[in-house]
Amino acid sequence: GDSVTQMEGPVTLSEEAFLTINCTYTATGYPSLFWYVQYPGEGLQLLLKATKADDKGSNKGFEATYRKETTSFHLEKGSVQVSDSAVYFCALSDRDTGNQFYFGTGTSLTVIP
Amino acid sequence: DSGVTQTPKHLITATGQRVTLRCSPRSGDLSVYWYQQSLDQGLQFLIQYYNGEERAKGNILERFSAQQFPDLHSELNLSSLELGDSALYFCASSRTMAFGNTIYFGEGSWLTVV
């Protein structure tokens, strides 16, 4: 069945460091891929998405590229800020399973000044 | 603000009791999803409705039930509550079930069972 695997946390970085959060997926069909972010005390918010191979989603300095050959959608940011501290969830939506959403377990990021 | 409204925000109740969580989707959204988030289980999909009909079921216990009403709001009913049901319950909505569609989350309902 469909699933998403993302790197274990928690991740702690200094301000302005480079961020990578790995995400790989398994899907029976041809999925859309998403990154959601959850700030403390809030619901999940869409950060970025990509709907076909080689598409790059980007928002607020974050980027992720849909790599079909490696079934990956790694999240990157060149210079993190304290305000990026949150939990990040990778997710997929697969047309072959009625566009159901499957979420990874989440990766907690703490950025220290 | 995602436009998805959930009530109540916080709820404390005793074991064995029953509670109802309410969700109003974004204006125009036809699909509603329910998720449970706990520390040990992560984000678990419970159930999805589309325009009043159940479309998918995930890891929803038999003690839990949900429905979506003609005005598209949804309720999640949790009964015979156990300590392990303490969690954050999210509602999410989407316009349709089309490929690539984004789902938008509410801020959640914190349930504490004592």
Side-chain angles (χ1 to χ4, degrees):
Chain A
D2 291 12
S3 66
V4 174
T5 302
Q6 56 181 108
M7 68 185 279
E8 295 284 330
V11 174
T12 302
L13 294 174
S14 297
E15 209 165 18
E16 300 183 1
F18 184 85
L19 168 72
T20 300
I21 301 178
N22 290 336
C23 171
T24 57
Y25 67 88
T26 302
T28 53
Y30 198 169
S32 293
L33 301 173
F34 303 78
W35 277 100
Y36 281 80
V37 58
Q38 184 179 25
Y39 297 104
E42 299 183 12
L44 280 73
Q45 305 172 22
L46 177 68
L47 181 59
L48 53 84
K49 73 178 191 182
T51 58
K52 62 181 189 294
D54 300 326
D55 265 4
K56 178 184 284 188
S58 60
N59 185 25
K60 299 181 181 180
F62 291 89
E63 293 183 340
T65 301
Y66 188 164
R67 301 282 187 207
K68 190 166 185 285
E69 63 277 13
T70 55
T71 62
S72 65
F73 193 55
H74 304 322
L75 182 68
E76 296 182 338
K77 186 174 185 184
S79 176
V80 294
Q81 304 301 311
V82 172
S83 57
D84 294 326
S85 298
V87 180
Y88 293 82
F89 292 87
C90 185
L92 72 82
S93 169
D94 188 347
R95 188 189 347 232
D96 283 12
T97 57
N99 289 314
Q100 290 307 306
F101 271 74
Y102 299 85
F103 284 86
T105 52
T107 300
S108 175
L109 170 67
T110 300
V111 180
I112 53 177
Chain B
D1 182 5
S2 67
V4 179
T5 304
Q6 290 187 245
T7 57
K9 289 198 184 327
H10 299 275
L11 190 57
I12 301 174
T13 189
T15 55
Q17 294 298 304
R18 172 191 166 95
V19 299
T20 297
L21 309 180
R22 194 178 192 277
C23 170
S24 294
R26 293 188 324 153
S27 177
D29 283 2
L30 299 177
S31 193
V32 168
Y33 307 73
W34 286 97
Y35 288 84
Q36 179 193 59
Q37 186 179 38
S38 59
L39 282 175
D40 54 344
Q41 296 279 338
L43 193 64
Q44 298 284 319
F45 168 65
L46 296 179
I47 198 163
Q48 180 205 0
Y49 283 83
Y50 181 78
N51 206 18
E53 293 188 5
E54 182 184 307
R55 280 304 182 100
K57 253 185 178 178
N59 301 320
I60 188 166
L61 300 172
E62 285 192 12
R63 300 183 285 108
F64 296 179
S65 64
Q67 54 184 326
Q68 185 180 29
F69 295 87
D71 66 353
L72 302 177
H73 91 272
S74 178
E75 292 181 356
L76 178 67
N77 300 297
L78 314 174
S79 61
S80 302
L81 285 167
E82 303 175 359
L83 295 177
D85 298 327
S86 296
L88 183 54
Y89 291 85
F90 284 114
C91 172
S93 73
S94 65
R95 189 80 54 188
T96 67
M97 291 180 63
F99 179 67
N101 212 22
T102 298
I103 61 174
Y104 296 88
F105 283 78
E107 294 192 352
S109 292
W110 273 105
L111 173 66
T112 302
V113 182
V114 297

